[in-house]
Amino acid sequence: MVDKKSENAGATVTRDQLAGLLNEDLAREYQAIIAYVVYSQVLKGPEFMNIADQLEIHAQQELSHALILSRQIDYLGKMPTVTPKTVRTSENAREMLRFDLDNENETIRNYRERVRQCEALGEYALAEQIRQILVEEQDHQIDLATALGEEVPDLTMPRK
């Protein structure tokens, strides 16, 4: 049975609310840029060298996402935020990668919802922009889960 509340969740937002949600996403992209820049430089040990190189690429992709989101927020008539979400750090490399994976999981869930919200508003081009970002975010998720030796989390299930 389809949950009508989640099926119609995207239909209840206004353009102003969508801009606000995209600003939250933008703050998360800033967080990711900072985290990937730092983590890529401080990860130590031969087992983390490949992922460290990947994190440098991720940082560049997150900057691209931030630019796309900023443009779309402006398109919706709002000012893009300038404040990142808090970046968590650790001396433990596995913990840092766990922080990243947790953040990517949250980002993917939010972007999936954004696509539904954009389409409910008839903002199909904006939904396509978010879909393209989502493709890269899922690649980041795969890279991080692999580096941690884990299966990629199934985000189709409701949050606990």
Side-chain angles (χ1 to χ4, degrees):
M1 177 167 186
V2 176
D3 177 20
K4 291 294 181 188
K5 184 178 179 186
S6 64
E7 182 181 278
N8 294 325
T12 60
V13 327
T14 65
R15 285 172 58 90
D16 282 351
Q17 290 169 328
L18 179 60
L21 292 167
L22 290 172
N23 258 323
E24 290 177 23
D25 297 331
L26 180 57
R28 201 170 1 281
E29 293 292 348
Y30 294 154
Q31 173 194 45
I33 293 165
I34 295 165
Y36 284 136
V37 166
V38 172
Y39 296 178
S40 70
Q41 301 309 306
V42 301
L43 282 175
K44 303 288 187 256
E47 70 273 29
F48 297 114
M49 296 320 299
N50 186 43
I51 192 62
D53 290 343
Q54 285 299 312
L55 297 182
E56 285 188 30
I57 295 167
H58 293 185
Q60 294 168 4
Q61 291 171 329
E62 300 292 0
L63 175 58
S64 174
H65 302 167
L67 290 166
I68 291 166
L69 289 175
S70 293
R71 181 176 178 90
Q72 297 308 315
I73 292 163
D74 178 65
Y75 160 75
L76 292 171
K78 297 297 179 185
M79 178 64 73
T81 189
V82 296
T83 307
K85 291 200 174 281
T86 303
V87 178
R88 296 168 40 193
T89 59
S90 172
E91 295 294 319
N92 181 297
R94 293 192 72 74
E95 275 186 8
M96 284 192 291
L97 294 175
R98 166 64 47 209
F99 297 156
D100 266 350
L101 182 57
D102 291 346
N103 290 339
E104 289 294 352
N105 291 338
E106 180 181 357
T107 297
I108 289 166
R109 283 186 187 102
N110 288 331
Y111 283 146
R112 287 177 178 175
E113 184 63 19
R114 262 357 126 244
V115 168
R116 288 188 287 273
Q117 291 164 334
C118 290
E119 288 183 347
L121 286 172
E123 291 291 349
Y124 300 108
L126 179 49
E128 269 316 298
Q129 294 285 320
I130 304 283
R131 276 190 178 89
Q132 292 306 309
I133 293 172
L134 187 53
V135 169
E136 290 183 349
E137 298 293 1
Q138 286 184 194
D139 283 344
H140 300 174
Q141 179 195 41
I142 292 166
D143 290 344
L144 291 163
T146 301
L148 288 166
E150 300 177 5
E151 293 293 320
V152 176
D154 178 0
L155 301 181
T156 61
M157 304 303 293
R159 293 182 204 201
K160 295 179 183 176

